[in-house]
Amino acid sequence: MGAALYRPAAMDGDGPTISRPVPDNAAAVLPVHLALLILAAGPADVVPSSVRAGDPDRGYEVLRSKPLLPPDFDRETLLRLGLTWPGEMKAKAKAAGEEERIAMALARYGLVAPPADDPIGGEVLNYVETPNGWVMNCFACHGGKVAGRTIPGLPNSHYGLATLTEEVRTVKLMTGKSLSHQDVGQMKIPLGASHGTTNAVVFGIVLDAFREPDMSVNTGRDPGPLLHHDMDAPPWWHVKKKSRLYIDGFSPKNHRVLMQFMLLPTTGRETVLSWEDDFRDVLAYIESVEAPPYPYEVDAALATSGRSVFEKNCAECHGTYSTDSSAETYPEVTVPIEVVGTDRVRLDALSVSHRRHLGTTWMSRYGEDPVVEDPGGYVAPPLDGIWATAPYFHNGSVPTLAGVLSPEERPTRWRRTENGYDRDRVGLEFTAVNEVPELDARYVFDTRRADIGKTNGGHTFAADLSPSEKRALLEYLKTL
């Protein structure tokens, strides 16, 4: 049927290649961060639970082809965005043709072209292209590139949502075009302080405030105090191993929870309920995405040594791995925040009452799918494809796996290159910077921003390993 699924297959040259259409698998349709939209619900008789199995092919088609939100901008606006750019970039865009200007815009805002064999086509993976404009889809945060190659289901560590929205709004005001919900929303709620991260948990809290328990709209409800913070998206290929969603594992894994992001006040109750089968298919697609294999050479002897280090020091929380998936284990352990020690703002942003409410709603089938009200920490994730998923930790604060293993290697302020990959440290190619530039500040990740959850401390479990053990462990991690 329609769209075939895509999976990173054999690698060649300098990076991963996307090859043949193959049913695949993905992991958490919406990052941990949208956890609060689940607070929208309805009485038990709203919609009966269907037993229809999800169709992963159709799920991919839904994500790539069905506009589930209003358009953010049109192609004409995209072509004019260079008018807002600084200095030489503005001059270059002004002199460029349409194709080059589109390429410049995609690079600036972290948008990626679809895989070469994608059956849907179009100019960008991250938005649905319609006659009325470009509509954000789930690949905005969950469709990225590593070493210059697009991988659906990979966290989009380039995505500059705040920068894109700000500059789109400027062009619209210059040209007399109407503002979208995103343009207006940014004036009230920050969208993200650095490229690759978003304030999505708070998006969920606010959207939930517009919903009654039966999913009907009430824009008079108060969202209460908001703890703005940045989150990195998780890889979709982890979802199939998990029984629960999000970094704190508080939410059941079901297709209804994945519907949170579309709960704009303009999306009525009946429309939301009518899309349930679509998201049944989306979850099936997500659970078909496979982790991409490491595309470069691996020192097999060193990796074998690293496996022993891993199994002694890491497997208890992160599981075991094998070429035979049936022989793998994943314990889905929640590590108390006092033990893991990573930034706790994400955990604190959702209160017990927020989480408890999910257990009363249509999203959890009125508690039939259990909710963890006070998780107390973060779930140690699976590590499949970890080589590709930099930056690391739930807030994206550490650019390489070497930094995860050795806290002293974590930069305080850093800026990545667009397509570079660090094979030695395993992760992003980056430069440490002394100061955050006034222009394009969002390209720099500043771990001093404890107020918005961007610190890079914690997870010191490997700190006492010897340099040779860490080197072997890094080599083994490439093979997962």
Side-chain angles (χ1 to χ4, degrees):
M1 57 176 295
L5 308 183
Y6 288 83
R7 143 174 181 239
M11 307 294 180
D12 57 18
D14 292 329
T17 58
I18 306 296
S19 74
R20 60 200 182 279
V22 178
D24 281 4
N25 156 292
V29 76
L30 295 178
V32 151
H33 36 270
L34 289 186
L36 253 178
L37 267 172
I38 45 187
L39 307 183
D45 60 351
V46 169
V47 166
S49 178
S50 170
V51 295
R52 184 182 75 81
D55 179 340
D57 282 356
R58 184 176 180 276
Y60 186 80
E61 281 190 271
V62 168
L63 292 175
R64 291 282 284 114
S65 304
K66 187 166 185 173
L68 301 171
L69 293 168
D72 288 326
F73 50 84
D74 57 21
R75 196 170 189 276
E76 180 184 6
T77 297
L78 189 69
L79 286 166
R80 294 189 181 199
L81 288 174
L83 297 171
T84 69
W85 297 346
E88 294 181 3
M89 287 185 62
K90 180 177 180 179
K92 183 179 179 181
K94 187 175 181 180
E98 284 195 11
E99 185 175 336
E100 185 178 358
R101 273 187 281 166
I102 291 289
M104 291 176 68
L106 299 189
R108 177 166 177 79
Y109 306 117
L111 307 181
V112 298
D117 296 338
D118 182 284
I120 306 298
E123 292 179 289
V124 65
L125 174 71
N126 320 96
Y127 284 73
V128 176
E129 300 166 43
T130 76
N132 296 321
W134 287 24
V135 178
M136 183 190 297
N137 64 25
C138 296
F139 288 119
C141 292
H142 295 277
K145 62 180 178 176
V146 60
R149 305 299 179 91
T150 296
I151 301 178
L154 177 74
N156 188 357
S157 62
H158 292 83
Y159 190 33
L161 175 60
T163 302
L164 173 60
T165 303
E166 188 175 88
E167 295 178 358
V168 162
R169 183 173 63 245
T170 298
V171 169
K172 287 180 179 178
L173 292 174
M174 292 168 58
T175 57
K177 291 182 179 290
S178 299
L179 299 183
S180 71
H181 70 284
Q182 198 86 275
D183 304 324
V184 175
Q186 188 190 36
M187 293 186 281
K188 298 180 180 181
I189 298 175
L191 301 183
S194 62
H195 286 204
T197 60
T198 67
N199 185 27
V201 169
V202 171
F203 304 164
I205 295 172
V206 172
L207 291 176
D208 173 63
F210 300 147
R211 297 282 168 168
E212 295 290 351
D214 68 349
M215 296 292 282
S216 61
V217 176
N218 178 0
T219 57
R221 295 183 62 194
D222 182 4
L226 302 175
L227 182 55
H228 299 298
H229 63 288
D230 282 6
M231 278 291 302
D232 188 24
W236 278 358
W237 54 80
H238 286 174
V239 166
K240 64 178 175 291
K241 284 192 169 184
K242 292 186 170 186
S243 64
R244 317 194 61 75
L245 295 180
Y246 307 121
I247 188 63
D248 56 6
F250 92 98
S251 170
K253 182 176 72 173
N254 67 34
H255 63 279
R256 291 181 178 181
V257 170
L258 304 185
M259 300 170 72
Q260 301 167 42
F261 79 95
M262 65 178 176
L263 299 182
L264 295 177
T266 52
T267 304
R269 172 179 176 275
E270 296 304 321
T271 299
V272 171
L273 301 183
S274 75
W275 286 344
E276 184 172 10
D277 271 353
D278 292 329
F279 278 84
R280 205 173 262 114
D281 295 333
V282 166
L283 180 57
Y285 167 68
I286 285 170
E287 292 199 311
S288 73
V289 176
E290 297 290 345
Y294 186 71
Y296 310 113
E297 291 184 2
V298 174
D299 183 326
L302 187 60
T304 298
S305 177
R307 178 171 186 155
S308 297
V309 177
F310 180 88
E311 291 179 348
K312 290 177 183 177
N313 296 276
C314 313
E316 181 178 358
C317 291
H318 292 290
T320 60
Y321 300 83
S322 171
T323 54
D324 176 5
S325 60
S326 65
E328 295 186 346
T329 64
Y330 175 58
E332 204 165 2
V333 172
T334 296
V335 184
I337 189 64
E338 296 80 10
V339 175
V340 68
T342 50
D343 195 292
R344 66 172 298 138
V345 173
R346 160 63 181 80
L347 186 66
D348 296 338
L350 296 176
S351 68
V352 170
S353 62
H354 287 147
R355 302 175 205 273
R356 179 177 298 148
H357 186 64
L358 174 58
T360 70
T361 70
W362 179 81
M363 291 286 184
S364 69
R365 297 191 298 157
Y366 308 98
E368 188 173 336
D369 299 333
V371 173
V372 179
E373 296 179 358
D374 188 10
Y378 298 134
V379 177
L383 300 183
D384 312 70
I386 192 171
W387 72 271
T389 62
Y392 301 102
F393 294 172
H394 67 276
N395 59 1
S397 60
V398 181
T400 67
L401 279 177
V404 172
L405 302 183
S406 301
E408 70 276 7
E409 290 197 26
R410 301 172 189 173
T412 301
R413 294 176 296 277
W414 53 274
R415 177 172 183 158
R416 66 170 299 172
T417 62
E418 183 179 354
N419 293 318
Y421 187 81
D422 190 327
R423 304 188 200 184
D424 184 53
R425 291 185 286 188
V426 190
L428 304 182
E429 181 181 76
F430 72 92
T431 301
V433 299
N434 292 323
E435 299 294 336
V436 178
E438 184 175 348
L439 292 176
D440 288 340
R442 296 191 188 102
Y443 285 93
V444 173
F445 196 108
D446 187 354
T447 67
R448 300 171 302 175
R449 295 296 308 276
D451 58 317
I452 54 173
K454 300 187 80 69
T455 62
N456 65 359
H459 197 283
T460 60
F461 307 117
D464 293 333
L465 295 178
S466 69
S468 61
E469 287 175 317
K470 290 179 183 178
R471 183 66 258 168
L473 179 54
L474 280 177
E475 200 69 11
Y476 174 66
L477 292 173
K478 296 174 183 178
T479 71
L480 302 186

